[in-house]
Amino acid sequence: MVLFKKKIKRILFLLAIKKAKRVAIGSASVTQKGWISTNIEDLDLTSKDDFYKYWEPNTLEGFFAEHVWEHLTLEEGIKASKNCYEFLKKGGSLRIAVPDGLHPDRKYIDYVKPGGTGNGSEDHKILYTYKTLGSSLREVGFRIELLEYWDENKDFHYQPWDADQGLVRRSMSYDWRNVRGKLNYTSIIVDAIKD
């Protein structure tokens, strides 16, 4: 009976992902209203065949990935971005949040860098800055809007963003570690838009 229920649950998930218009990548354990959540077992970002299993090109409204791209090499990240670009319809967007390589707190950098001290950092392949992430997305053809990031002068930049377009929990407004006005944990957050 348990095996039967698992099979039914899997079939229902596969039907839901094929109908999805907005897909959260690498977040199967975290749900957001209006988004279908996936993990690598469901969708390998670097495999165009995985995308074709579910959708036709130019059909999705949005992809969302919070702290996923840093688990890919730069080349894999570009490949994943190309796949997302191909399957987004015109006006669709890919919201990406990654650890910020220009965050001014050394403890933060040690926590998130490849091989760092933080959970999951042993699998991190790259530490992006707003410039490197933006450049890789522009290379694919996206127009980008930077929503949150630190710059080289240790200044924090923030542009208001709509959480319904992908709620980044590791952000200025939503991370529990940011207390009393101190930004202890933030991410580079960028909307990459297909024009």
Side-chain angles (χ1 to χ4, degrees), residues 178-182:
N178 298 328
V179 292
R180 293 185 289 281
K182 184 158 173 42

Side-chain angles (χ1 to χ4, degrees), residues 22-73:
R22 300 192 309 166
V23 178
I25 300 164
S27 64
S29 63
V30 178
T31 60
Q32 292 187 47
K33 185 178 179 189
W35 294 84
I36 186 82
S37 296
T38 64
N39 258 340
I40 191 166
E41 300 83 26
D42 310 309
L43 180 65
D44 177 351
L45 286 170
T46 63
S47 170
K48 191 177 286 193
D49 290 342
D50 268 20
F51 283 74
Y52 272 109
K53 279 193 312 195
Y54 304 118
W55 313 291
E56 294 294 321
N58 305 305
T59 58
L60 279 88
E61 295 172 4
F63 288 104
F64 169 64
E66 180 176 357
H67 287 236
V68 173
W69 251 245
E70 69 274 14
H71 294 276
L72 306 170
T73 65

Side-chain angles (χ1 to χ4, degrees):
M1 188 65 160
V2 173
L3 185 60
F4 178 74
K5 285 183 180 180
K6 283 185 179 182
K7 283 185 179 183
I8 294 295
K9 187 176 179 181
R10 181 70 182 160
I11 289 167
L12 291 173
F13 171 78
L14 293 173
L15 289 172
I17 195 172
K18 286 181 183 229
K19 291 181 180 179
K21 293 297 175 194
R22 300 192 309 166
V23 178
I25 300 164
S27 64
S29 63
V30 178
T31 60
Q32 292 187 47
K33 185 178 179 189
W35 294 84
I36 186 82
S37 296
T38 64
N39 258 340
I40 191 166
E41 300 83 26
D42 310 309
L43 180 65
D44 177 351
L45 286 170
T46 63
S47 170
K48 191 177 286 193
D49 290 342
D50 268 20
F51 283 74
Y52 272 109
K53 279 193 312 195
Y54 304 118
W55 313 291
E56 294 294 321
N58 305 305
T59 58
L60 279 88
E61 295 172 4
F63 288 104
F64 169 64
E66 180 176 357
H67 287 236
V68 173
W69 251 245
E70 69 274 14
H71 294 276
L72 306 170
T73 65
L74 179 60
E75 295 76 22
E76 290 169 335
I78 291 170
K79 191 174 188 179
S81 298
K82 284 180 182 177
N83 289 336
C84 291
Y85 187 90
E86 182 175 339
F87 286 82
L88 283 169
K89 64 184 184 180
K90 188 175 181 178
S93 67
L94 164 63
R95 176 169 288 174
I96 295 178
V98 294
D100 194 331
L102 292 176
H103 195 289
D105 185 345
R106 191 75 229 154
K107 288 180 193 170
Y108 171 95
I109 297 296
D110 288 340
Y111 190 78
V112 300
K113 70 183 181 183
T117 60
N119 291 339
S121 66
E122 70 280 353
D123 186 51
H124 289 181
K125 308 284 192 293
I126 187 169
L127 185 55
Y128 284 101
T129 67
Y130 73 97
K131 285 184 178 178
T132 56
L133 181 59
S135 174
S136 71
L137 291 165
R138 284 188 197 98
E139 180 180 319
V140 170
F142 283 113
R143 173 176 55 84
I144 67 159
E145 293 180 5
L146 289 161
L147 304 178
E148 292 189 16
Y149 67 97
W150 291 92
D151 69 16
E152 299 83 354
N153 298 318
K154 300 182 181 188
D155 291 324
F156 184 74
H157 299 262
Y158 171 83
Q159 178 179 322
W161 49 273
D162 182 355
D164 288 340
Q165 299 304 311
L167 172 60
V168 179
R169 287 172 175 81
R170 288 166 269 198
S171 62
M172 179 185 82
S173 298
Y174 294 98
D175 197 289
W176 61 271
R177 292 166 281 201
N178 298 328
V179 292
R180 293 185 289 281
K182 184 158 173 42
L183 297 177
N184 295 304
Y185 203 100
T186 60
S187 301
I188 300 169
I189 305 173
V190 61
D191 278 349
I193 299 138
K194 181 176 180 177
D195 286 329

